[in-house]
């Protein structure tokens, strides 16, 4: 009889353990699939943020290229005008004055254009980083939600 009681007790313990393990497995699997689904949604949104960031950067490059082209065209025309004026001057002294005035003005224009481009690239960098920065914040929250 003692053997029968031990066997029945062991069987009950096994059945209870099996039921708990099956429930724990089922709960764990459901949590895993839910987490993978949420991660896939997160990755989809991350790709969208990357595309928005890349679009902002492309617009910035396009604007900078247009500004640079316009600046170079104006600088070329100014150079031709200065050369024409210097070559048609009545004295060497006048030619040197025209050339030095042109160089001074060209230096100031170049410096101004450099500052304008620097401001443009800072603004473009901030605009391009914004979608990624937002995704990083969401990533931190996502990871924090799975902490025990």
């Amino acid at each position: 009889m003692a053997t029968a009681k031990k066997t029945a007790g062991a069987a009950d313990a096994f059945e209870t353990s099996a039921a708990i393990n099956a429930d724990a497995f089922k709960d764990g699997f459901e949590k895993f699939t839910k987490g993978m689904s949420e991660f896939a949604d997160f990755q989809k949104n991350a790709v969208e943020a990357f595309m928005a960031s890349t679009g902002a950067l492309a617009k910035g490059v396009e604007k900078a290229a247009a500004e640079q082209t316009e600046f170079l065209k104006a600088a070329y025309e100014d150079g031709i005008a200065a050369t024409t004026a210097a070559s048609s001057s009545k004295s060497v002294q006048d030619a040197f004055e025209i050339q030095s005035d042109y160089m001074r003005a060209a230096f100031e224009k170049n410096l101004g254009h450099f500052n304008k481009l620097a401001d443009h690239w800072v603004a473009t960098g901030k605009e391009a980083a914004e979608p990624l920065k937002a995704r990083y914040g969401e990533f931190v929250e996502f990871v924090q939600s799975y902490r025990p």
Side-chain angles (χ1 to χ4, degrees), residues 2-137:
T3 309
K5 271 190 174 180
K6 284 184 183 179
T7 307
D12 289 342
F14 178 77
E15 288 175 12
T16 303
S17 176
I20 292 172
N21 287 338
D23 290 339
F25 178 79
K26 182 179 176 185
D27 290 343
F29 185 75
E30 287 173 356
K31 286 180 184 178
F32 173 77
T33 55
K34 180 184 173 199
M36 291 305 290
S37 176
E38 289 174 358
F39 185 71
D41 290 342
F42 177 82
Q43 286 300 96
K44 178 183 171 240
N45 293 337
V47 169
E48 290 172 359
F50 179 74
M51 295 303 291
S53 177
T54 303
L57 186 60
K59 286 179 185 176
V61 168
E62 184 179 329
K63 183 178 177 185
E67 288 179 2
Q68 187 67 15
T69 301
E70 183 180 314
F71 176 77
L72 290 174
K73 182 179 177 185
Y76 180 74
E77 291 171 355
D78 290 347
I80 289 175
T83 303
T84 303
S87 64
S88 65
S89 64
K90 301 202 188 286
S91 69
V92 174
Q93 182 65 29
D94 289 342
F96 279 127
E97 284 181 27
I98 291 170
Q99 185 65 24
S100 58
D101 288 344
Y102 166 72
M103 292 301 289
R104 187 177 313 109
F107 179 76
E108 289 172 359
K109 285 181 183 178
N110 281 329
L111 190 59
H113 183 67
F114 176 77
N115 288 333
K116 183 179 177 181
L117 280 178
D119 292 342
H120 167 74
W121 285 116
V122 167
T124 298
K126 286 180 180 178
E127 185 180 345
E130 191 60 37
L132 298 177
K133 189 171 89 173
R135 289 305 300 157
Y136 179 74

